[in-house]
Amino acid sequence: MLPEKIVIASHNAGKISEIRDLLAPFQIEVLSADELNLPDVEETGTTFRENAALKAEQLAKISGLPCLGDDSGLCVDALGGRPGVYSARYAPNRDFDKAMDMLIAELKETQNPDWSAHFSCVLCFAFPNGERHFFEGRVDGRILPQKSGTNGFGFDPVFQPEGFDKTFACFSKAEKSSISHRGRAFEKFISWLDEQ
Ligand code: IMP
């Protein structure tokens, strides 16, 4: 049976807006952690899976509602997979404009011409009784040496997905979700929801 309400374990407005659109076809009330005054969960894990679980489990316990935790990040090959799980913290004071400049500068310094990267996303859907389910998605692409586009959030203006000649920041939300790491993880979550 489908839950009536779920809580999104995030305070990131960009992510929540994408998630609300993805869950719009379902008769589910989608609440954000902010709307319920839920605390920020410290991301002490070293993998996307651990952090997604930490967020979902803790907020499911506190709110008494099923809770969806999303942990995602940008993994750059020439930087050994960084910033990875630390993507949100790569930006000083969450200033992603600065973070993108720093990322481009770091890549130039490596003198490695291969700027391949991918976004990863792990979703954990946790219930107050401890039951949990995981769904994963990934999108491959590369980092561009200059920003372009104004949509999206985070590193979108410098990430060009494979097979396209524009960055994620030039995609509409729906277009981005049809190929993004989060969109792909959600496809799996939604097929699971459909089976309930
Ligand atoms: P967290 O999952 O809240 O720990 O944050 C993930 C971080 O990864 C965000 O703050 C962004 O820097 C980056 N990120 C994750 N998904 C995306 C995306 O779809 N576009 C751009 N940046 C993203």
Side-chain angles (χ1 to χ4, degrees), residues 83-142:
V85 283
Y86 305 106
S87 294
R89 284 163 272 178
Y90 186 82
N93 303 317
R94 297 203 166 239
D95 178 349
F96 282 99
D97 207 45
K98 185 99 185 271
M100 288 184 280
D101 293 338
M102 287 165 55
L103 184 72
I104 290 166
E106 242 202 289
L107 276 166
K108 282 185 177 158
E109 248 173 61
T110 64
Q111 301 199 354
N112 184 340
D114 179 4
W115 287 20
S116 303
H118 66 268
F119 275 119
S120 272
C121 172
V122 177
L123 298 175
C124 174
F125 191 47
F127 288 82
N129 68 4
E131 180 186 331
R132 50 187 211 164
H133 302 269
F134 290 93
F135 310 91
E136 301 188 11
R138 165 181 171 144
V139 59
D140 291 300
R142 65 191 178 105

Side-chain angles (χ1 to χ4, degrees), residues 9-12 14-15 18 43 48 51-52 55 70-74 83-91 94 96 99 119-122 139 151-157 159 168-169 176 180-183:
S10 173
H11 296 271
N12 177 329
K15 257 193 203 178
E18 286 184 11
E43 296 182 18
F48 295 118
N51 282 336
K55 292 188 243 187
D70 154 310
D71 199 50
S72 51
L74 176 67
V85 283
Y86 305 106
S87 294
R89 284 163 272 178
Y90 186 82
R94 297 203 166 239
F96 282 99
F119 275 119
S120 272
C121 172
V122 177
V139 59
N151 300 335
F153 67 97
F155 294 97
D156 280 345
F159 182 81
F168 261 170
K176 177 181 167 190
S180 76
H181 49 313
R182 191 164 303 100

